[in-house]
Amino acid sequence: MVSKRNFFNIMIMMVTLLFLFQFSMVIRAQSSSYDHNNAVSENPLSGQDAWQQAKMKLSALTEEDDPYVLFVGDAAGGMGQAVSSWCTYRKKNIIVTKSMTELTDYVKLMPEMIVLESESYALEGASLKKLEKLEKEGVIIVFGSLEDVDAIRNNSELMDFLGIQSIAAKEKQLTGAKLFEGFLLGGEEWYQTSENDKYAEEKQDLDLTVPWYQIGSGTKAYMVGLIKEKTGEKEAIRNEDVPSLIWRNGIDNGSVFAVCGDYMKDSTAIGILDGMMAEANTYYIYPVVNAQNLAVVNFPELSDVNNDEMQNLYSRSSMGLQRDVLWPALISAMDLSHLRVTAFLHKEDTKNNDSDTDTLRFYLRQLKEQNGEAGILLDQTNTASLQSYLASSGSQYQYGAFYSEDPSMAFYEEQKDQPVFENIRTLMCPYSGAHPVLSYYNDDVTLQEATSDGVHYTFSDDIRMRSIQSALGYTGIVLDLSDVFWPNGTSDGWEVLQERLTSNLRTYWKKFSCFDSTTLSESDQRVRKFLNMNYEAIYFNKEIVLKTTQQDSWFVLRTHDAPIQKISGGTWSEIEKDAYLIHCEDDTVVIELKGDASLYPSKD
C-alpha cells in the first residue's frame, strides 16, 4: 500500500517532470528558429572584389611583373581551361601562346612553369633547346599529354629530356593502374577490378590501351599502368618496367613532368598540377575551400507523386516513403559519413494545401535538427507553382542555395528576377566540365559544380575526386531521388541506391574526413573567401611566413619529411604524411618546421 503522503509526493514529481519536459520542448522550438536559415550570409563578399589575373603579354613583360605560368596550346580546349582555373585558384597570372617560338631570349621575365598541351610544341624549331635551357634555370616544364609515340621515338633528345629510357610498345593493353601515395591526397590506390566485383564493368573506365614508356634512372613515377604478368614468371615486374602514366624527370635537380593520357584535359588537372608543384619544391602551401557537401535533389517532394507505383513497391505513399524510409536512411548516411545535407525541395503539382505546408515545416525542422539546409530545385515545369506555394505558406525561410539540372543555367537566366531568387547566394549544377569547379556565376552568385552523384562511381571519377580534394579541399556530392519516385527498373530502387551511396561514402570519401562538412550556403561563404583572397608565403630559416588578405581561411601545406613544430596566428591538423591543413585565424601566420628544409619559396 502506498500512503496518501507518498502518493501525493509521487504525483507532484510526475507533474513537475511533465511540466519541465513540455517547457523544455517549447523553449527548444522557440530558440531553434526552424523557419530561419542561419547559413545564408546577410552581407556576402562580392565577385567584384574577386582576385583577377592580370592581362600580360610576353613582349611587354618586365622584371618587376609578378610570376606567371605559360600555357602553350589551345586556350579554349579542356587543358587550357583547366590550367587557367588552376592559375586563378593559386593567384597566378597566365599567358597563353600557340607556339614556343614566342618565348624569345628577349623576354625579360621567364615563367615559373610552362605547360605544353602536347609534345608537338617542343618539336617546333629550336623549342626543345629552349626548354632544356629554361629547365636548367629552374623553370618547371610540364608535358600535359604525350600524343605522338612515333615522333617521340624518333627524337632521342626529346626522349632523354622526358626521361624515357625506351618505348617497349606503341600500344600495350593494361589491366588497371596504380596511383602512388604522396602525389594526390588520399594515399595509394589500385585501379584494378576483381572477378567478384559486381560493378567491375562500370568502374573500369580508364583508357587501358597506352604506349609503353619505360622511364630511366633519375626519374620518379607517380602513376603507372598494370599489366598481366607472364605465366610462371618468378619475379613481379618492377615499377620502372611497367608503362608509366605520370612521372618526373629530375635533370640537374630540375623538374620535367610528363603525362600519358587525358588526365590533364579536365578538372583533374588542378590537383595534378598541385602535386607537381609539391614535388618540385621543398615545401608548397596553397589556399583551399575546406568544404564537403552532400546535396539531395528532389527531396523533400511536397506533393504526393506516383502513389500507385510507390504503394506497389514500398507499401506506402510517396509522402510516407519520404518520411518513414528515405529520411531515416539519409540521417544514417550523414552519421556514417559525417556529412551534412542540403535538401533541394520540389513540388510536382500546382495545388496548394495544408498537408503540403505541414510537410514543408516538418522537413525544415528536421533539417535544422541535423544541421542541414533546404534549397530549391530549379525546374521549368514547376518553379512558378513552387514560388506561389512558398509565398502562400507563410514561411520566412531564406533559400540561399539553388540546384539547376541544366548546366547552361538558361532557365535561371529567364527567371532570375522573380521574388523566389531574392536571397540566392549559390547555384549548383551537375558536373559537365563547362564551368570551373568553383567560380562566381555573377557578382552576387557563386557556382559550385557537383563532383559526383555519390552512386555511380568509376575509376576516372575517383582520380578526379582526389585531384579536386587535393587542390580545393572541396567535394560536391549530389544524390538525385527523382528516379526513386519515378523508377525505370529495379536499379532505381531505393535499396540499391542506398547500398551504393553508403558504400561509396564509407570508402572513397572517408579519406577526406579531415575537411569540414558544410551546407551549400556555408560552403558559399568559404568559396567567396577563397576566390577573393590573395596571399604570399616566404620561407627562411625553417619558418614559413604566410600572409593572406582573408582571415578565417584555410591552406594546405605540403612538405618533404619536415613536420610542423609550432604555429602562430592559426592552427593546424595533419591530413596525411607530409600534408597539413592550416587554419589562418589572423592575416599573418608563422609556421615553424622541423627538419633540414632548405630555402626554396613556393610563392614570393
Side-chain angles (χ1 to χ4, degrees):
M1 293 287 294
V2 179
S3 66
K4 291 183 178 180
R5 181 184 182 88
N6 288 338
F7 178 77
F8 179 75
N9 289 336
I10 291 172
M11 290 300 297
I12 291 293
M13 290 177 64
M14 292 179 64
V15 170
T16 302
L17 289 172
L18 178 64
F19 173 77
L20 290 174
F21 176 76
Q22 295 290 351
F23 183 73
S24 65
M25 293 299 291
V26 171
I27 294 297
R28 182 182 178 188
Q30 292 179 347
S31 61
S32 294
S33 301
Y34 296 111
D35 205 31
H36 177 72
N37 188 356
N38 297 325
V40 176
S41 174
E42 295 184 2
N43 298 298
L45 297 175
S46 171
Q48 294 178 344
D49 301 319
W51 184 90
Q52 300 289 335
Q53 294 173 349
K55 295 181 179 180
M56 304 172 70
K57 293 183 177 180
L58 286 172
S59 58
L61 289 173
T62 69
E63 294 179 354
E64 286 73 34
D65 283 320
D66 292 332
Y68 67 98
V69 171
L70 180 68
F71 178 75
V72 187
D74 180 11
M79 191 182 302
Q81 293 180 350
V83 173
S84 179
S85 294
W86 177 74
C87 288
T88 297
Y89 297 151
R90 298 296 163 254
K91 320 305 173 183
K92 297 178 184 291
N93 295 314
I94 184 172
I95 297 177
V96 179
T97 71
K98 293 186 176 180
S99 173
M100 273 293 297
T101 58
E102 296 182 36
L103 186 64
T104 66
D105 293 335
Y106 298 102
V107 172
K108 294 185 178 180
L109 182 66
M110 290 298 108
E112 180 183 11
M113 172 188 280
I114 298 176
V115 182
L116 305 170
E117 191 170 23
S118 77
E119 78 289 334
S120 62
Y121 295 98
L123 299 175
E124 300 174 337
S127 295
L128 184 54
K129 293 291 186 184
K130 188 179 301 180
L131 289 170
E132 291 171 347
K133 179 182 177 182
L134 291 169
E135 184 273 332
K136 290 180 181 179
E137 294 176 358
V139 177
I140 300 170
I141 311 295
V142 178
F143 287 79
S145 180
L146 301 182
E147 298 179 345
D148 192 336
V149 183
D150 291 331
I152 297 171
R153 189 200 303 270
N154 295 330
N155 193 311
S156 58
E157 186 179 2
L158 178 58
M159 286 182 62
D160 289 341
F161 190 61
L162 291 168
I164 298 174
Q165 186 177 46
S166 64
I167 301 177
K170 187 174 181 178
E171 288 187 350
K172 180 64 178 178
Q173 188 67 29
L174 306 179
T175 61
K178 178 183 178 182
L179 179 68
F180 294 100
E181 65 178 348
F183 188 63
L184 299 179
L185 298 182
E188 179 182 276
E189 188 64 34
W190 294 73
Y191 296 109
Q192 196 169 29
T193 58
S194 59
E195 294 181 358
N196 58 357
D197 187 347
K198 60 182 178 180
Y199 301 117
E201 186 174 347
E202 176 185 319
K203 286 182 180 178
Q204 186 54 276
D205 65 337
L206 300 178
D207 185 359
L208 297 180
T209 305
V210 301
W212 190 346
Y213 296 117
Q214 291 183 325
I215 56 178
S217 60
T219 61
K220 181 179 181 180
Y222 304 109
M223 187 172 177
V224 297
L226 303 174
I227 60 178
K228 189 174 182 180
E229 298 178 16
K230 296 179 181 179
T231 305
E233 197 167 27
K234 293 182 179 179
E235 295 183 1
I237 297 175
R238 297 176 303 169
N239 290 334
E240 294 83 355
D241 295 332
V242 296
S244 297
L245 301 178
I246 303 175
W247 71 90
R248 172 194 178 190
N249 186 25
I251 310 171
D252 298 327
N253 296 318
S255 296
V256 178
F257 293 91
V259 179
C260 177
D262 294 339
Y263 301 103
M264 289 278 290
K265 295 183 179 180
D266 61 15
S267 58
T268 308
I270 61 176
I272 291 176
L273 288 168
D274 278 326
M276 293 173 176
M277 289 292 289
E279 285 293 305
N281 292 285
T282 302
Y283 85 96
Y284 180 50
I285 191 166
Y286 56 92
V288 294
V289 178
N290 187 22
Q292 308 285 286
N293 299 294
L294 174 59
V296 184
V297 178
N298 283 288
F299 181 89
E301 172 60 56
L302 298 175
S303 51
D304 272 320
V305 294
N306 202 15
N307 272 337
D308 290 342
E309 184 74 9
M310 295 299 97
Q311 287 287 349
N312 181 47
L313 292 174
Y314 302 102
S315 302
R316 291 173 173 82
S317 66
S318 61
M319 289 290 194
L321 174 66
Q322 291 183 103
R323 183 186 62 250
D324 301 335
V325 179
L326 301 184
W327 180 239
L330 289 173
I331 291 177
S332 176
M334 284 187 280
D335 290 340
L336 288 171
S337 63
H338 304 290
L339 292 173
R340 292 157 57 190
V341 161
T342 299
F344 289 98
L345 56 87
H346 183 262
K347 194 173 191 305
E348 182 72 21
D349 60 32
T350 58
K351 298 180 293 183
N352 297 335
N353 54 57
D354 292 339
S355 64
D356 295 346
T357 303
D358 292 341
T359 301
L360 175 63
R361 290 173 179 169
F362 171 79
Y363 284 109
L364 289 180
R365 181 183 295 270
Q366 290 293 312
L367 286 166
K368 190 65 177 287
E369 291 279 359
Q370 298 297 325
N371 296 313
E373 175 187 20
I376 291 178
L377 170 62
L378 300 182
D379 187 329
Q380 266 182 306
T381 62
N382 84 322
T383 298
S385 169
L386 181 60
Q387 179 176 317
S388 172
Y389 163 72
L390 292 175
S392 63
S393 69
S395 173
Q396 301 300 310
Y397 195 86
Q398 293 178 298
Y399 298 92
F402 288 67
Y403 184 83
S404 172
E405 295 176 327
D406 177 13
S408 73
M409 303 295 169
F411 181 64
Y412 168 69
E413 286 295 330
E414 294 174 4
Q415 302 290 325
K416 63 183 179 182
D417 294 329
Q418 298 298 319
V420 71
F421 297 110
E422 180 180 358
N423 297 309
I424 185 170
R425 295 291 185 267
T426 190
L427 287 165
M428 192 179 207
C429 68
Y431 179 82
S432 66
H435 309 281
V437 177
L438 302 171
S439 63
Y440 274 104
Y441 181 76
N442 57 43
D443 288 342
D444 300 318
V445 178
T446 61
L447 177 63
Q448 304 181 54
E449 268 207 338
T451 58
S452 172
D453 69 5
V455 175
H456 305 96
Y457 207 76
T458 68
F459 289 156
S460 62
D461 289 338
D462 186 76
I463 296 172
R464 186 177 69 242
M465 183 272 288
R466 286 167 176 261
S467 180
I468 293 172
Q469 293 277 26
S470 299
L472 303 175
Y474 173 86
T475 199
I477 306 167
V478 173
L479 175 65
D480 191 343
L481 295 183
S482 59
D483 287 344
V484 175
F485 297 118
W486 301 95
N488 293 315
T490 56
S491 62
D492 293 332
W494 172 243
E495 296 83 359
V496 176
L497 296 182
Q498 181 187 12
E499 176 192 356
R500 300 189 69 173
L501 174 69
T502 303
S503 175
N504 290 342
L505 290 179
R506 295 179 68 178
T507 53
Y508 303 117
W509 279 276
K510 185 178 181 180
K511 300 169 184 176
F512 301 100
S513 58
C514 54
F515 296 118
D516 289 347
S517 176
T518 60
T519 64
L520 277 172
S521 290
E522 292 170 335
S523 178
D524 163 69
Q525 297 179 47
R526 298 188 178 198
V527 168
R528 291 171 188 266
K529 284 189 175 184
F530 172 77
L531 295 175
N532 285 30
M533 77 158 60
N534 198 359
Y535 72 99
E536 65 174 357
I538 301 172
Y539 180 89
F540 183 73
N541 195 25
K542 299 183 183 178
E543 279 191 352
I544 300 171
V545 179
L546 172 65
K547 295 183 179 181
T548 173
T549 59
Q550 295 289 337
Q551 296 181 4
D552 191 26
S553 54
W554 286 266
F555 285 74
V556 165
L557 170 64
R558 299 178 69 174
T559 66
H560 300 279
D561 295 320
I564 294 176
Q565 182 163 293
K566 65 179 180 180
I567 187 172
S568 63
T571 59
W572 65 277
S573 59
E574 186 176 33
I575 300 173
E576 62 185 41
K577 185 180 183 298
D578 293 334
Y580 307 91
L581 181 63
I582 309 297
H583 181 203
C584 297
E585 298 171 341
D586 298 331
D587 53 14
T588 300
V589 177
V590 180
I591 306 167
E592 184 177 333
L593 302 179
K594 300 177 183 178
D596 298 322
S598 59
L599 177 62
Y600 207 139
S602 66
K603 189 176 190 294
D604 231 10

